[in-house]
Amino acid sequence: MELKFATSNPHKVSEANQVGRKYGIEFVQLEQDYPEIRDEDVRMVARAGAAYVFNIIREPVIVEDTGLFIEGLGGFPGSYSAFVFNKIENQGILRLMQGAGDRKAEFISAIGYCDIDGVQIFDGAVRGSIGTEITGTAGFGYDSIFIPDGHEKTFGENPKLKAEVSHRMKAFDKFCKFIAECWD
Ligand code: IMP
């Protein structure tokens, strides 16, 4: 079964399909823009995005919003992670972290699924820390500075680990279980 995934990021679709495959679900990228509302909760951003896209295409659809919440920076960049990455990238985050004692961080992913019955949210999180340098070239975004707890390498160095423990993998696992039951 196929389901549209509204995103401009093909990496997200490929990661979603690593999970979807196990459930017989194929996520198909839909290049449909939607406004990202200002809210500190990625779940609210995903909720608004999914409803917006559904109102245009009138077919079941998902969007997914991710935030990187860094404790030593008071949760920054959080739900503003895309804006911040576009402005200062990973080098900028490492500069901001100079002198910040607490390097603990969490990625949170929220999937918004919208169909005729409205929006439902499925989330996933992974805890870790921000490295002291940019390492690894796999993945995208903040992958090369994020080290998941219990490991020494960044997601950028270890994409196989990302596929096993990431925020997105957990959120898609919840979502795929739900949708596979609906389609049963
Ligand atoms: P969004 O979910 O597309 O709004 O992404 C927010 C920001 O976080 C963007 O700059 C992405 O590149 C980055 N990002 C999203 N997901 C991940 C991930 O799995 N790893 C690293 N960075 C990510």
Side-chain angles (χ1 to χ4, degrees):
M1 294 284 271
E2 288 189 359
L3 182 64
K4 292 198 166 75
F5 182 177
T7 178
S8 56
N9 185 338
H11 294 281
K12 285 190 175 185
V13 183
S14 144
E15 290 183 13
N17 276 320
Q18 288 174 7
V19 181
R21 220 167 279 136
K22 297 184 205 149
Y23 294 86
I25 299 163
E26 188 186 350
F27 296 98
V28 179
Q29 183 171 8
L30 173 70
E31 293 263 8
Q32 169 64 57
D33 281 343
Y34 57 90
E36 284 202 6
I37 63 158
R38 285 197 190 178
D39 194 290
E40 290 195 12
D41 188 344
V42 289
R43 296 164 194 85
M44 297 304 285
V45 179
R47 178 174 289 282
Y52 181 94
V53 178
F54 179 80
N55 281 330
I56 294 172
I57 67 166
R58 292 272 150 198
E59 283 181 54
V61 66
I62 60 162
V63 306
E64 189 255 13
D65 198 66
T66 288
L68 175 64
F69 297 78
I70 303 175
E71 290 187 15
L73 300 179
F76 182 85
S79 63
Y80 303 102
S81 291
F83 175 79
V84 170
F85 191 85
N86 289 339
K87 296 288 180 202
I88 64 173
E89 301 188 359
N90 285 327
Q91 290 91 332
I93 295 289
L94 294 185
R95 268 198 306 277
L96 290 175
M97 295 294 295
Q98 279 167 11
D102 187 354
R103 303 189 80 87
K104 287 198 287 295
E106 185 175 34
F107 265 126
I108 301 180
S109 158
I111 298 167
Y113 167 69
C114 191
D115 62 15
I116 195 72
D117 295 324
V119 181
Q120 293 183 71
I121 299 294
F122 302 82
D123 58 11
V126 60
R127 298 193 62 81
S129 60
I130 302 300
T132 51
E133 53 185 15
I134 298 171
T135 47
T137 52
F140 63 98
Y142 300 103
D143 276 345
S144 54
I145 57 168
F146 183 84
I147 304 168
D149 277 352
H151 300 272
E152 279 168 15
K153 292 191 169 166
T154 63
F155 277 160
E157 292 173 285
N158 194 345
K160 197 166 161 281
L161 179 65
K162 186 179 185 193
E164 286 162 13
V165 304
S166 83
H167 48 304
R168 181 163 300 105
M169 187 281 282
K170 290 175 187 159
F172 271 94
D173 206 56
K174 280 188 197 169
F175 174 68
C176 289
K177 280 198 178 93
F178 159 81
I179 204 77
E181 273 185 22
C182 293
W183 286 345
D184 225 10

